Each structure stands twice: as structure tokens, then as C-alpha cells.
Amino acid sequence: MTTLAPDRKPSQAAGTVAHSQRRTWGIMAEFETPAAIFEAAGKVRDSGYRYWDCHVPFPVHNLDKQMGVRRTILPVIVFFAGLTGATLGFGLQAFTNSTDQSIWAFVWVTGYPFLISGKPLMSFPAFVPVIFELTVLLSALTAAFGMLALNGLPRLNHPLLASQRFRRSTDDRFFIVIEARDPKFLKSKTEAFLKTLGAHAVEVVED
Amino acid sequence: MSSSQIDVRNRGFIDTDNTGDTPGRRATLVLNMHRFHDVTQQVCRIAEAKRAPVAWYVAFAISLAMVSMLGFCVLYLFFTGVGVWGLNNPVMWAFDITNFVFWVGIGHAGTLISAILFLFRQKWRTGINRFAEAMTIFAVICAGLFPGIHVGRVWLVYWLFPIPNQMELWPQFRSPLLWDVFAVSTYFTVSAVFWYVGMIPDLATLRDRAKGRIQQMAYGLFSLGWRGSMRHWHRYEVAYLLLAALATPLVLSVHSVVSFDFAVSQLPGWHTTIFPPYFVAGAIFSGFAMVVTLAVPARELFGLKDLITLRHLDNMNKIILVTGCMVGYAYSMEFFIAWYSGALYEKFAFMNRAFGQYWWAYLIMVSCNVITPQLFWFKRMRTSIPIMFVLSLVVNIGMWFERYVIIVSSLANDFLPTSWGGFIPTWVDICTMTGAFGLFGVCFLLFCRYLPMVALAEIKAIMPEADPHREHPQ
């Protein structure tokens, strides 16, 4: 296979020959500045590739818009989680403290109408703090775990993480990766295209 | 060391003093660095170092000894009963609840920095938010300890939660003590999630730099396979904003709910409507003091002065001044309302608070919380490391005494003079309180040693070099 990285050592290049039977997963291009990747991302967006991504050490301002990333559905999910929390909070208190009904919640449980200092059995104002807390709790957990789930995380490994060069993506380098599963992907053409973007280095990623 | 000395020592570098306010020019928040790699290097080398600074080992040994003392005191309490504390009729709450309120309050600064300052787009928060959030979590752990062990029969502590049981017993949801259970546990969970989500990209940085197998495995596992994808960052930023928006009302509500423990009761000195805002202001006040107490030695010890700059400390001291004045206003307003209400017991409770048997505690409280922070009106004081360190300790002491005064003086002398009493702490009280600081210390020191102490990704994003439309790239 061709190694395109200008600073790749011969020993590493020899090492990759042995793996050349492995499937190509994609091609990455390395950039040195946020400005460079921002400009390049616009060009990749316009070139018609679908399965591509930018890998950056911090969220470069507006790069998602530049890439044409659609706004995530996460806030809608979180809204309904909050609604669930509120309902759950009210239901829990009203059931346990204001009724004598029995329901099945994994085991049979019965409510107990607490009469405390002459307050009404259904004293909504006193239920507000717990309703609020459960709303926040469910929303926050959904925001965090929903984000991870939508991102397909956690995962223990990824083809990109095998690359030595890619390790700087969490430090100070910016990468554009075009995946091999893209219908428009053609190893030689994609490589050539990425080189025209002014990348510092271009490297093939294997699965 | 005064601010002028710092200036002299750093002269010759660009952007060494960022405490000034030049109109039309934003102050630099990262000093002496222009490359992203330098930031990574500064923060990661702490976790990557083979050995920690000697001071770390000394502090860790002391904290560990204090934790053993705490463990002993707690076991002694469990095996003997709450009688080992100085509690007695009429003072049934003293050190336990004082420590609880104190530690919950400490936590508030972390959430304020991470959530509220984020919503207000205060970029300087990035230098301090990570370890302030860590402080929050460890403080809430210490706080949760006290109500947990003060219930007496600790093996029945699950009665606090609505868990189906054979007695068909439910908690009483109209009680503020139960609201507290939900408020504090939600606060802890949300703070921990917020902290961890913020740390995922930085753990990935540590993973990618790790040399040893153990480090690679550990950081690799906890970074969840993060690879900085911009499509991921997009959802991440939305999630972070949502978490900040959720944590903001949460931080204001937690100490409000804690104050309900007192305000909803009928006791003179507790039964006041000013309590929720007054407690929240006090919590932020004490929390920021704790952040300064921790930031000053930490930036010194781990060489983070370019990231946690004098401007950060200056800003925090300004917040201490503002919230200190709010607390002072609350103290005086309580007195005014007690007099203006014409309620006999209310008037007595406040006169007794200032001039009764706990006058000394009241004096400590007012002088530490209202009088000494006024020094922060002067920039020279706000930017002097030794002065801010001492003042932050003074505020911590003052805020502990505030809770002590509110709790103990109101209980000791209430309606009926025949049931008056007092409180004398036992050695167990004092050792448990001290031990909690050890618990906090152990957690915090471990965090400093093994986790990214400064939010790398966030700090890189606020550097001028991060702007994709910058004319001259680095």
C-alpha cells in the first residue's frame, strides 16, 4: 500500500505492508489549525461524501454547522424524560401518602393516607420539591446517557484509535476522516481529494 | 507575596498580568502559552508524573490519618449510640447538622461555576470548573455522611427512601426532612454526572498519551471510547448545555430545601421566610471561599499558575465580597424583621443570638463573614495570594459558625425558660468533624493526582487560537 504520510518512518511503512490484506476502513487527513479544518470541512461537505467526520480536540466553534450536521433530537428526549420525572414524582407521593389503593409495581404495594397536622390528604404544594427533584434527576440522567447512546458510546475499540497519528486528535491536531463505506469512496480518488484540501498528512486507516 | 512581586517575577513574558480591565480588549485567560499542546502538557504531566510532590504525600498521610479517626468515631457511634455526642434535650441537633449544612454549602460554588457561569458565558470558569466540581462532589459526600449517621439506628436508614417493605410503611412526603433526602441525593447524582460528562474528552487525552498498560486500560475504560468526533461533540455540547440548565435551578433549590428543614418548623429564629435566599447566598459565599482555599495551594504545588491565573482568583474574591455583603444584609434584615414583627419570641431569639450564651459564636460569625471580607473592596487585597488565602479560611470558619449559631442558639433557648439548656461538644463530636475534613482531603488529593485537574478541552476552546476565523493561525 502507499504511505502518504511524509514523516512516516521506513520501519513503520514496512510494518504496514504485512497488514495490507486488511480491509480499508477509511482515510484520514491531518490538519494543524482550526481554521484549516474549518475550510476543508466545507469542501468535503460540498463534495457529496456522506460518511465522513471531523475529529477535533475541542468543539471548534460552528464546525458542526460547517459540516452540515443536523441538530440533535436530544432536547426533545430530555423534555419527555423531565415530564416522566414530574409525573413519577407526583404519582409516587399521591399514591403513597394520599390513597389507600393497592397497585402492582413488581410487588404489591399499598398506599397509606397520612393525616399530618390537619393538612389535606392531597397537599400539592408540599409535593412540589420532590416533583422538581425527580424532574431534574430524570432529565439530567437522560441528557447524559442519551448523549452517549446517540453517539454510540461507550465502545471499547475503534479502527481510528489504532492509529498512532490519530492520538494527537485529543491534543492539538484536527482530523477529517472519510469512511470506506461511503458510496462515493474510492481509495485512490478519495486520497487524492483529501490531499487537495491542504492537509498536513494523509493516512489510510485499516479495520 | 504581594501582587507586585508576582508582576516583577513574571516580567518579560507577554500577558503576565491579566487582572486589569482594558476597555475593548478581552483579558487573556491562559498566560504564557499559545499552543494547545502546551496546555495539554501542563495538565497531563500531573497525572503522568511518576511521583507526586512531597507536599502531596504529606497531605495525603495527614488526611488518611484523619479518615481513620473518622472511621473509628463512626463505628464507636454505631456501637454505642448517639449519646456519645453532646446532644441532649433541648439541643437535639448540633455538630451533626451544622456539619451537614456546612458541607452542602461548600458544594454550591462548584455547581455555580460549572452551571450558572456557563449559562452566563463567563469564559474564565474553564480554568477552575473541573476541580470546583470535584470539590462539590466530595463536599456532598461529606455532607451526606452526617444525616446518615445521626439517625441513631443506622441500619434503618433505608426508611428514608420510598422502598416497599413488609411493614407497608412509607416516608412522609410533607416533611422537609424528606425533601432533603431527595434534594441532596439528586444534587449529588446530577453533579457527579455533570462532572463525569465534562471529563470524558480529557480522560481520552490521558488515554492517548498513556504509556503504561494500567493507565491505558483505566483511562481507556473511563473515556468510553471518546474520539473527538465533531458529530459527537455536537450532541455533547447540547447535552452539556442541558445539564447546565438543569443544574442551575438545582443548585438554587438544594440549599433552599436545606433551609426548609429549619424554616418550616415553628421555632423562633428558624421560622423565617428569608431563609432560602439567605442560605443560598451563604452557601455560594462559603463555597467560593473553599475554592480559593484549594486553588491557591493547588496552583502553586502543581504549577498551574498560567491556567488558574490571578484574574480567576480576583474574580472569585469579587464573588466572595458580593455574597458576603448579601449574607451581611440577611443578618441585619433578620434583626429588623424580628423587631418589626413585634413577635415576642422572635425578638427574644435574635437578642439572645447576639447577646445570649452564644454571643461569642455570633461575634465570630459576624466578624468573619461580614467585616473581614470587606477588605476585598481593594484590588491589592483581592490579588494578594497570602491575604486571599487567610481570608478564605476566615470565611470558612465564619460560615461554619453561622450554621452553629442558627442551629444551637435557637434550640438552646426557645419558648419556655424552664426547658432552656445548652450544648457542649464531646471529643467524638470534634473528632468526627475533623475526620470529615480528612475524608474530603483524601478524595480531593486522589483527584488532583490521577484525574485532569483542569478542563483541557474547554480551556483550549476559549484560547484565541481556537477561533476558526482567526487571521493568523498559530
Side-chain angles (χ1 to χ4, degrees), chain A residues 124-148:
Chain A
F124 185 75
F127 292 166
V128 168
V130 172
I131 293 174
F132 168 77
E133 301 297 343
L134 286 178
T135 309
V136 170
L137 182 68
L138 258 72
S139 315
L141 291 178
T142 309
F145 292 111
M147 178 272 288
L148 290 175

Side-chain angles (χ1 to χ4, degrees), chain A residues 35 38 52-56 58 64 72 96-97 110 114 121 123 126 132-133 144 151 154-155 158 170-172, chain B residues 37 40 170-171 173-174 179 193 205 208 224-225 227-235 250 253 457 460 468-469:
Chain A
F38 192 81
W52 69 285
D53 207 342
C54 295
H55 295 265
V56 287
F58 55 85
D64 45 355
T72 172
T96 55
N97 278 195
T110 311
F114 262 115
L121 278 177
S123 31
F132 168 77
E133 301 297 343
N151 283 346
R155 56 180 291 170
H158 192 273
T170 54
D171 180 8
D172 61 349
Chain B
H37 183 67
T40 316
W170 294 110
F173 278 104
R174 297 181 199 93
W179 305 344
V193 165
T205 305
D208 289 347
L224 307 179
R227 49 190 188 277
S229 151
M230 196 60 219
R231 294 174 198 276
H232 291 184
W233 274 119
H234 168 73
R235 297 190 192 97
L250 189 66
S253 78
K460 284 176 193 164
H469 305 299

